[in-house]
Amino acid sequence: MAASSNAEQTQLQDMAEEDPGMEEREMESDDEEEEVEGMGEENSDDDEDDSSEDEKENEAEIQRLEEQLSINAFDYNCHVDLIKLLKQEGELFRLRKARQKMSELFPLTEEIWLDWLKDEIRLTEEEPNREKVYELFERAVEDYICPDIWLEYAQYSIGGMGSPGGIDRVRSVFERAVTAVGLHMTKGQTVWEAYREFENAILSTVQPPPGRIPSREEQELLNTQLERIHTLFRRQLAVPLMDMEGTYAEYEEWAEHGVPETVVQQYKKAFQQMENRKSLEETLLAAEPPKLAEYQAYIDFELKDGDPARIQITFERALGENCLVPDMWAKYTTYLDRQLKIKDLVLSTHERAVRNCPWTMGLWKSYLLALERHGADHQTVSDVFEKALNAGFIQATDYVEIWQAYLDYLRRRVDFSKESSKELEELRGSFSRSLDYMKQDVEERFGQSGDPSCLIMQIWARIEAVHCKNMQKARELWDIIMTKGNAKYANMWLEYYNLERFCGDPTHCRKALHRAVQCTSDYPEHVCEVLLTFERVEGTLEDWDTAVQKTETRLNRINEQRVKAAEKEANHARQEEERAEQRRRAKADKKAQKKFQKGTRAGEKRKAEQDYQDEWNEDAEQAPKRQKGNVDHTTEEYMETETGLFGRNAPPGYKPGPSGAKNPPEAATATAQRQNDDKLELRNDNSSVFISNLVYTLEEPEEKLRTLFDSCGPIKQIRPVFSNKGSFKGYCYVQFESPVSVTEALKLDRREVEGRPMFVSPCVDKNKNPDFKVFKYNTSMEKHKIFVSGLPFSCTKEQLEELCKNHGTIREVRLVTYRSGKPKGLAYVEFADETQASQAVLKLDGMEVDGNKISVAISNPPRRNMPDKPGSSRPAAEMMPRQVYGARGRGRTQLSMLPRSLHRQSAAVSKVENGTAAEQMKATAAGEQKSLSNSDFARMLLSK
């Protein structure tokens, strides 16, 4: 291997020395192109400087990749990147070396092989160097069965047909190609056609010129060549291939005496086979990678049909696209092991399997068995086993199994009829090495040996006892096994007892059972029963008495321990139950206390509200006498709605403080009031919209909203809503001159204003329309619209539109956000029709966008909770009118402590919805009054 590599390096250096002329020609052609393009010397100098900088950067990257590979040679992506950079830089010697190193560790893909082969073909124009390319082709066709590589191999061999034996070599390559890939239903036809074209070219050279009668030798040569072409046609027509009708028509035209009946029958049979598999091929063509399910269905079909050649080519096609799927390799190798049993094919397939999936222990284990099954030499098996140990399995138990497989192989090599042999010593050495390997390497990597039951040691002890008759060594091994924490398990003692019973003597059997009775903790009754049974068969009376005494003592101790453990567990459960009960009681007490406090506060509040209502009713009758200033009811309603100063109408007699008040909230209130005094015009809901979800820190909201809505039409007034402290509450009303402007304003819904989506909705009085809901999107299935979830939060509307536009005409893209404007990772995309939406679902579902795997489905929003309508079926209890309580709340009696003469009917309270004054509603039941808050009481007292 070292010699061949040195020779190859020497040849590479020679080629590199021959290449400068070609490189100079390429540089001259580049310079000519630059001159034709009219580039000056200065520009070329700048380009040279830029190229030199790029070369330095690429060289630094190449060195970094080489250093990384020196640390971890199994970094596949690093190999690929290094090859790309070296090819870009034109480093021929280093490129070939990098490819060679990667091919020793991994099977190369079809693309990498074709690039490598084309580079080598371009560089090796001389005849002596063609053998190196032939060797490279041989390595390429071993990795995967690839029609394109075979076709390239055949075409390259045609270039050397002028050399001695060249034509025979070309035919040999073509024969191997049609054997390997001629059954490929979609790509096999190209290989057959290339083979026929080659033979037709040979035919043209042996045909005599027109008008000259060929000699006997020439006629025989001509007939032989014609028969070759006839044979190729017949062989191809017997194989089920796509578009085989064209081949049949070509043969009919080419054959002078017509197509023989046998060929017609073979063609019809192959055509029927092709029709049976056509649907499977179409399914493969339409499926997305990795196509595992489709290939598995194809393989199952071929296994049922039973043609070994077709089963093999189907497996090879599946593995060409799924070379890193261990299960597929395992199924293929199992089929070859059990059905074909061809040595070269089986072993080469096993080797390819472990090269593609070296981390899979099962493939290495099957490889070792296949090597032994086909009589491979011991050194080969040992080398494969050493490679398996260095493959890097993913769990500790894998190393136990691969060691067991290798030790089984070594055991089968030993002739135990001899007292001592080289094979036996190697077996014992391997057992010792396996124990050291599990203790050092495996435990250091995984933190455990992977063999807690000491299976390897048990097998060694059994071999020593059964085959080598060395019970002393077996007992020593079992002593080690028991000291590794296995003495408490009954099955381990019974395994040792059975070994002593089979290969040892009664004395050691009795000792093993006595130790088992003392140490076993999982099934002591069973061990005691085995001891007593043994003494019944083998022991004396003294042995029986000793066994009975020992088992009774042990079982009594075990029962005491179990009783203590049960009591401890019961106490623990009781304590847990008591703690849970204490928690439940504390929770119930806390809940009752909160309920009592809430009821007390509610009762006091209802009592205070009732007293205040009575006083207010009296004040309402005397209001014209007590009120000072010029404050009417309209003003009070306006103050409540627009400035948010009160939860309800202002108490009678209230008047705002002076403009120069020192208290900031009062000053803000007075400012808002003065601003609203200029807007006492009658409002119109039909020409107004309600704006919400605005940021609270919005400065000068009226001016900003006027600028935003100015394009919708003439604005009559904008009414922002402020708190009693003068801060903006995030919503307002915009009234236009004409109702036509409302439609344009609603189009600005969800427009972003300072980072938050602005909600624009119609201005509707919910007292008149209590069922009014603003939801402009469809709540049923929309087959022309798709729902996308799992999007990255950084995804924009433009990015999503760019992603979807390849699948149809996009009408609208809507990103779903929170009220704060932050994205939810959801979106709706509307297409022109249902077909485009369905196609987008098939293509986009499961795609990765910026590292996020998105889900795409047809839009089918969940049903929204709609209010019950009068005709809906609801339980009778829900249809009952709400119970109306008196002034004393939910007390047992509604007797009022207020004299009847002081009772007054409560005045109707006006309500405002979306900034409009609703009609004053009458009370629906006697005694129903509108309660006020504590702040209302305070303002009423201050107004007096």
Side-chain angles (χ1 to χ4, degrees):
M1 180 67 72
S4 62
S5 63
N6 292 334
E8 183 175 328
Q9 291 179 3
T10 304
Q11 183 180 2
L12 289 173
Q13 292 174 356
D14 295 339
M15 290 182 180
E17 292 175 358
E18 295 173 0
D19 288 338
M22 181 172 60
E23 292 180 359
E24 290 177 1
R25 291 193 296 272
E26 291 177 355
M27 293 175 62
E28 291 174 0
S29 63
D30 292 340
D31 293 337
E32 291 175 359
E33 291 177 359
E34 291 176 358
E35 292 176 2
V36 170
E37 293 173 357
M39 300 180 64
E41 294 181 356
E42 296 180 359
N43 293 335
S44 62
D45 293 338
D46 294 338
D47 291 340
E48 290 178 1
D49 294 338
D50 294 339
S51 62
S52 62
E53 291 295 331
D54 294 339
E55 290 177 358
K56 291 180 180 178
E57 293 178 1
N58 290 340
E59 182 61 30
E61 180 65 16
I62 290 171
Q63 292 180 359
R64 186 190 68 80
L65 291 173
E66 289 177 344
E67 291 176 1
Q68 186 172 346
L69 287 176
S70 64
I71 299 173
N72 180 17
F74 291 90
D75 191 336
Y76 185 90
N77 293 328
C78 192
H79 281 285
V80 174
D81 294 340
L82 179 60
I83 289 174
K84 288 181 179 178
L85 276 177
L86 291 174
K87 183 175 177 62
Q88 180 180 345
E89 291 297 310
E91 296 282 349
L92 302 178
F93 177 76
R94 296 169 69 183
L95 174 61
R96 192 178 293 180
K97 185 178 180 181
R99 285 168 169 167
Q100 177 70 24
K101 187 174 182 181
M102 183 179 180
S103 66
E104 293 173 357
L105 298 174
F106 302 101
L108 302 186
T109 62
E110 176 184 349
E111 293 77 13
I112 296 178
W113 270 121
L114 288 175
D115 287 342
W116 190 0
L117 291 167
K118 289 176 181 178
D119 289 343
E120 294 294 339
I121 291 172
R122 181 172 58 86
L123 295 176
T124 55
E125 298 176 352
E126 297 182 2
E127 196 67 31
N129 293 326
R130 295 184 65 87
E131 291 300 325
K132 292 294 182 181
V133 181
Y134 284 132
E135 293 176 5
L136 199 60
F137 268 113
E138 291 295 332
R139 291 174 55 190
V141 297
E142 288 177 0
D143 277 354
Y144 302 107
I145 294 183
C146 176
D148 293 337
I149 294 179
W150 274 110
L151 193 60
E152 189 74 23
Y153 191 6
Q155 290 176 350
Y156 179 74
S157 62
I158 291 174
M161 59 184 286
S163 60
I167 295 179
D168 293 336
R169 185 167 196 165
V170 174
R171 287 193 177 116
S172 174
V173 172
F174 268 117
E175 285 294 331
R176 292 173 58 197
V178 296
T179 302
V181 297
L183 295 179
H184 197 298
M185 281 194 62
T186 57
K187 297 183 178 181
Q189 186 176 7
T190 58
V191 179
W192 285 104
E193 290 177 351
Y195 196 179
R196 288 206 319 274
E197 288 177 3
F198 167 73
E199 294 295 349
N200 280 322
I202 299 297
L203 177 64
S204 63
T205 61
V206 299
Q207 285 180 336
R212 186 173 70 84
I213 300 176
S215 63
R216 181 178 180 182
E217 291 79 5
E218 292 176 342
Q219 187 64 41
E220 289 179 356
L221 187 61
L222 179 62
N223 293 336
T224 303
Q225 188 62 27
L226 289 172
E227 183 61 27
R228 284 197 183 98
I229 299 175
H230 276 287
T231 303
L232 282 177
F233 269 116
R234 290 194 293 267
R235 290 171 61 188
Q236 182 178 353
L237 291 174
V239 176
L241 299 173
M242 302 296 288
D243 301 327
M244 60 187 306
E245 304 96 320
T247 304
Y248 183 77
E250 183 181 351
Y251 187 37
E252 282 183 321
E253 182 180 355
W254 189 85
E256 296 179 356
H257 304 290
V259 181
E261 184 62 26
T262 56
V263 178
V264 174
Q265 295 298 327
Q266 291 178 349
Y267 165 72
K268 290 181 178 179
K269 182 179 179 181
F271 184 80
Q272 184 60 43
Q273 292 176 345
M274 185 271 292
E275 288 293 327
N276 295 338
R277 293 165 175 81
K278 191 173 183 179
S279 60
L280 295 170
E281 291 290 344
E282 291 174 350
T283 303
L284 277 176
L285 185 63
E288 295 289 338
K291 307 180 184 180
L292 282 174
E294 291 78 11
Y295 272 119
Q296 187 59 55
Y298 206 158
I299 291 170
D300 293 339
F301 177 85
E302 294 295 354
L303 287 172
K304 187 176 180 180
D305 193 58
D307 186 351
R310 294 211 57 82
I311 295 172
Q312 181 186 355
I313 191 62
T314 308
F315 266 117
E316 291 291 350
R317 290 178 61 184
L319 290 168
E321 296 188 38
N322 301 278
C323 59
L324 300 181
V325 180
D327 290 343
M328 187 66 71
W329 283 108
K331 292 177 183 178
Y332 186 27
T333 54
T334 301
Y335 170 77
L336 295 179
D337 287 334
R338 296 178 180 177
Q339 301 297 328
L340 295 187
K341 301 179 181 179
I342 301 173
K343 178 180 178 180
D344 294 337
L345 176 61
V346 170
L347 295 184
S348 63
T349 304
H350 275 288
E351 183 181 6
R352 290 161 55 207
V354 296
R355 289 187 68 202
N356 280 276
C357 305
W359 64 88
T360 307
M361 182 278 305
L363 297 178
W364 287 102
K365 185 176 178 180
S366 300
Y367 191 10
L368 291 175
L369 291 172
L371 288 170
E372 183 182 4
R373 193 177 293 119
H374 291 281
D377 61 275
H378 176 59
Q379 187 60 42
T380 302
V381 179
S382 299
D383 292 342
V384 171
F385 172 70
E386 294 298 331
K387 291 180 180 179
L389 289 182
N390 297 323
F393 299 142
I394 58 177
Q395 53 187 2
T397 54
D398 290 343
Y399 288 95
V400 178
E401 291 192 41
I402 198 66
W403 268 110
Q404 286 180 332
Y406 183 59
L407 292 170
D408 291 345
Y409 157 73
L410 294 178
R411 195 268 308 165
R412 287 189 284 267
R413 295 180 65 245
V414 178
D415 183 5
F416 290 103
S417 61
K418 301 178 182 178
E419 293 185 1
S420 179
S421 64
K422 179 181 178 182
E423 290 79 7
L424 179 59
E425 294 303 321
E426 183 179 3
L427 175 62
R428 286 172 173 164
S430 297
F431 268 114
S432 299
R433 182 192 168 198
S434 68
L435 298 179
D436 294 338
Y437 186 89
M438 301 303 296
K439 183 178 180 180
Q440 298 174 5
D441 297 60
V442 178
E443 283 190 8
E444 180 180 352
R445 180 179 175 187
F446 297 97
Q448 57 175 348
S449 65
D451 189 15
S453 300
C454 302
L455 293 176
I456 294 178
M457 210 175 298
Q458 288 186 45
I459 295 172
W460 189 6
R462 184 166 289 277
I463 291 174
E464 292 288 352
V466 176
H467 295 291
C468 300
K469 311 300 180 182
N470 188 356
M471 278 302 299
Q472 183 62 32
K473 180 64 176 180
R475 293 180 184 122
E476 292 176 358
L477 292 172
W478 268 104
D479 286 339
I480 299 174
I481 293 172
M482 291 304 180
T483 57
K484 290 184 177 294
N486 294 303
K488 58 184 178 181
Y489 300 115
N491 65 317
M492 300 297 290
W493 284 109
L494 294 179
E495 186 72 22
Y496 176 37
Y497 162 73
N498 290 329
L499 183 64
E500 287 284 359
R501 187 75 170 156
F502 183 72
C503 301
D505 53 71
T507 303
H508 285 89
C509 289
R510 184 175 290 109
K511 288 182 179 180
L513 291 176
H514 278 279
R515 291 175 62 191
V517 169
Q518 294 296 326
C519 301
T520 302
S521 59
D522 54 353
Y523 298 104
E525 293 86 355
H526 183 58
V527 174
C528 292
E529 183 179 354
V530 173
L531 174 59
L532 295 177
T533 302
F534 173 78
E535 296 298 352
R536 282 192 177 98
V537 176
E538 299 288 345
T540 62
L541 178 60
E542 183 180 358
D543 296 332
W544 171 261
D545 292 337
T546 303
V548 170
Q549 181 180 358
K550 183 165 291 190
T551 55
E552 288 180 352
T553 303
R554 178 58 178 168
L555 292 178
N556 290 336
R557 189 182 308 138
I558 290 291
N559 291 331
E560 291 176 359
Q561 293 176 355
R562 289 175 178 174
V563 170
K564 291 180 180 178
E567 291 177 353
K568 184 177 180 180
E569 185 176 355
N571 291 333
H572 181 70
R574 193 182 306 110
Q575 292 175 1
E576 288 294 329
E577 186 176 353
E578 290 175 356
R579 293 194 197 99
E581 182 64 26
Q582 290 176 0
R583 288 193 294 268
R584 284 194 295 269
R585 289 178 181 176
K587 188 175 181 180
D589 293 343
K590 188 176 181 180
K591 186 175 181 181
Q593 185 178 1
K594 286 184 177 180
K595 187 175 181 182
F596 174 75
Q597 293 175 355
K598 183 177 180 181
T600 303
R601 289 195 298 268
E604 293 175 353
K605 180 177 180 181
R606 282 193 293 269
K607 182 177 179 182
E609 290 175 351
Q610 177 62 35
D611 295 341
Y612 175 68
Q613 287 284 355
D614 295 338
E615 293 179 5
W616 194 359
N617 291 337
E618 292 177 3
D619 293 340
E621 295 175 359
Q622 303 172 2
K625 299 178 183 179
R626 298 179 58 185
Q627 283 182 354
K628 297 180 182 180
N630 191 18
V631 180
D632 57 5
H633 181 73
T634 307
T635 306
E636 295 160 7
E637 176 198 347
Y638 195 90
M639 291 165 55
E640 172 205 359
T641 304
E642 304 305 330
T643 64
L645 298 177
F646 306 103
R648 298 169 179 80
N649 288 344
Y654 171 82
K655 63 179 182 179
S659 60
K662 296 181 179 180
N663 194 350
E666 295 177 2
T669 300
T671 303
Q673 179 62 29
R674 287 196 303 274
Q675 292 175 354
N676 293 329
D677 285 340
D678 299 333
K679 302 175 182 179
L680 298 179
E681 304 172 12
L682 185 62
R683 300 172 202 150
N684 186 1
D685 289 348
N686 294 330
S687 60
S688 300
V689 292
F690 178 62
I691 315 298
S692 60
N693 201 45
L694 296 171
V695 63
Y696 295 154
T697 58
L698 186 66
E699 297 179 358
E700 299 181 359
E702 184 172 351
E703 295 300 326
K704 291 190 177 181
L705 293 175
R706 185 177 298 277
T707 303
L708 189 61
F709 287 92
D710 217 9
S711 60
C712 301
I715 299 174
K716 189 172 184 179
Q717 59 178 343
I718 296 178
R719 305 191 298 275
V721 181
F722 297 90
S723 67
N724 56 355
K725 295 183 179 181
S727 58
F728 182 50
K729 297 184 71 172
Y731 59 92
C732 69
Y733 302 88
V734 178
Q735 184 175 345
F736 296 93
E737 296 287 350
S738 172
V740 180
S741 303
V742 173
T743 305
E744 297 298 324
L746 291 176
K747 295 180 181 179
L748 298 179
D749 184 36
R750 311 282 171 168
R751 174 72 63 85
E752 186 172 309
V753 178
E754 293 194 5
R756 287 173 68 94
M758 174 183 66
F759 298 162
V760 183
S761 58
C763 191
V764 177
D765 187 352
K766 291 191 178 180
N767 288 327
K768 299 179 181 179
N769 301 283
D771 295 337
F772 177 77
K773 293 286 184 182
V774 179
F775 190 74
K776 64 180 182 181
Y777 303 111
N778 201 342
T779 58
S780 60
M781 177 176 286
E782 302 168 286
K783 295 184 179 180
H784 64 287
K785 186 181 294 185
I786 64 173
F787 173 65
V788 186
S789 60
L791 288 168
F793 294 152
S794 59
C795 182
T796 62
K797 182 177 179 180
E798 291 74 17
Q799 290 175 342
L800 185 57
E801 186 173 356
E802 183 69 21
L803 184 67
C804 299
K805 70 178 184 181
N806 296 329
H807 308 292
T809 304
I810 297 176
R811 290 183 176 176
E812 183 185 5
V813 176
R814 178 166 67 91
L815 295 176
V816 184
T817 63
Y818 293 98
R819 293 180 64 90
S820 62
K822 294 182 179 179
K824 290 186 177 181
L826 310 175
Y828 291 91
V829 182
E830 182 179 355
F831 286 89
D833 52 40
E834 300 176 9
T835 305
Q836 295 178 359
S838 302
Q839 188 71 15
V841 171
L842 293 175
K843 297 296 183 181
L844 297 178
D845 187 36
M847 178 181 289
E848 284 198 4
V849 178
D850 293 341
N852 289 34
K853 187 176 182 181
I854 63 173
S855 298
V856 183
I858 295 297
S859 175
N860 188 16
R863 293 183 176 272
R864 297 179 64 84
N865 296 327
M866 302 300 293
D868 295 319
K869 297 183 178 180
S872 61
S873 58
R874 297 178 61 187
E878 296 183 10
M879 297 300 292
M880 294 295 290
R882 182 179 178 183
Q883 184 177 355
V884 180
Y885 301 108
R888 301 188 65 237
R890 299 180 61 180
R892 182 172 298 180
T893 174
Q894 293 298 327
L895 292 178
S896 176
M897 299 295 104
L898 193 66
R900 294 179 182 175
S901 59
L902 299 181
H903 276 292
R904 296 287 187 274
Q905 293 294 330
S906 59
V909 180
S910 64
K911 296 183 180 179
V912 177
E913 186 69 27
N914 282 353
T916 63
E919 296 180 0
Q920 296 192 0
M921 306 298 291
K922 294 182 180 181
T924 58
E928 182 181 16
Q929 298 176 356
K930 195 68 175 181
S931 59
L932 302 179
S933 64
N934 293 336
S935 60
D936 293 331
F937 299 147
R939 285 192 292 270
M940 182 202 69
L941 294 175
L942 291 173
S943 65
K944 293 181 179 180

